[in-house]
Amino acid sequence: MRVTVFGASGAIGQLLVHQLLDAGPQVTAYVRTPAKLTLAHENLTVATGRLSDTTAVRKAVAGADAVISALGPSLKRSVKGTDITDGTRTIVEAMQAEDVTRFIGLATPSLADPHDKPHWKPKVLPVMAKLAFPIALAELKGMTEAVTSTPLDYTIARITNPVDKPATGRIKSGFLGHDKVGSAMTRADIAAFLVSQLTDPRYRRAMPVISN
């Protein structure tokens, strides 16, 4: 299996690349700054470029069986623009051009999924997020819509409050109003869930909430 990872040099992305390599796939890690990805492996190819570089993105996606995105917006209010949304659109266009259909990514419970039942989180979290992180929320909404509006076979994990602690191996997943899912989750377990979706068909074209 060949997997292309975007956001590979980030906190979740690096854990994701490690876990993929341990699991056996050939991995292409797309990064803007290769020095941030301090990892060498015979099954790892590092591709360098910006998300706006359509040629480089398409080259990184070509031949992949799946794309996993660990991209997420900055929470700094000073950051402007829609780089992550635009970059996700570029990734989606590259996937469609290269006939790659499987997309696995990240979002937030502030965005609803059709499988959800009435719950306080979709009511309260968007209000809180819009007040505290309006640009980040807009980016998350834009990058999610860039994927879900297409025929891609996607799974987008909705996460809240990722923490830097050792993996627990305990992952709760499901939909609001249906399942007992919490908020906090270790970044290592988030990475493990994303890897598991390469072979787990339960959440095809859905956005489950995950937690520890």
Side-chain angles (χ1 to χ4, degrees):
M1 178 179 285
R2 295 179 179 272
V3 181
T4 300
V5 177
F6 290 90
S9 62
I12 294 174
Q14 295 205 40
L15 293 166
L16 174 60
V17 171
H18 275 278
Q19 293 185 27
L20 283 169
L21 292 171
D22 287 343
Q26 300 278 335
V27 179
T28 297
Y30 191 88
V31 294
R32 184 173 61 181
T33 309
K36 291 184 178 181
L37 186 64
T38 58
L39 176 65
H41 193 284
E42 61 183 358
N43 289 338
L44 174 65
T45 299
V46 178
T48 304
R50 293 179 176 272
L51 291 174
S52 57
D53 188 336
T54 56
T55 300
V57 169
R58 182 168 176 176
K59 183 177 179 181
V61 166
D65 297 294
V67 166
I68 303 182
S69 172
L71 294 169
S74 171
L75 298 182
K76 296 179 180 178
R77 295 176 69 94
S78 59
V79 175
K80 306 296 182 182
T82 56
D83 291 349
I84 303 299
T85 295
D86 297 341
T88 302
R89 290 196 186 102
T90 299
I91 293 168
V92 168
E93 290 169 2
M95 291 177 66
Q96 293 175 318
E98 294 294 335
D99 293 323
V100 180
T101 60
R102 185 70 175 125
F103 179 95
I104 301 166
L106 296 171
T108 169
S110 294
L111 304 177
D113 180 274
H115 296 88
D116 293 336
K117 285 185 176 180
H119 194 273
W120 66 266
K121 283 189 176 180
K123 297 178 181 178
V124 175
L125 291 180
V127 175
M128 296 173 60
K130 192 170 183 177
L131 289 172
F133 310 110
I135 297 173
L137 180 61
E139 278 275 69
L140 284 163
K141 183 178 180 181
M143 63 189 277
T144 300
E145 290 177 347
V147 177
T148 59
S149 63
T150 72
L152 289 180
D153 179 14
Y154 64 82
T155 299
I156 299 176
R158 290 179 288 169
I159 62 172
T160 308
N161 191 28
V163 296
D164 287 321
K165 292 183 178 179
T168 68
R170 300 185 303 274
I171 301 174
K172 299 175 183 177
S173 61
F175 299 97
L176 298 177
H178 285 278
D179 306 290
K180 292 183 178 180
V181 286
S183 295
M185 190 173 190
T186 72
R187 287 184 170 87
D189 286 319
I190 293 170
F193 180 84
L194 297 179
V195 173
S196 74
Q197 295 311 292
L198 291 170
T199 54
D200 187 344
R202 287 181 297 165
Y203 297 120
R204 296 298 178 95
R205 289 192 64 81
M207 301 197 303
V209 176
I210 62 174
S211 70
N212 286 133

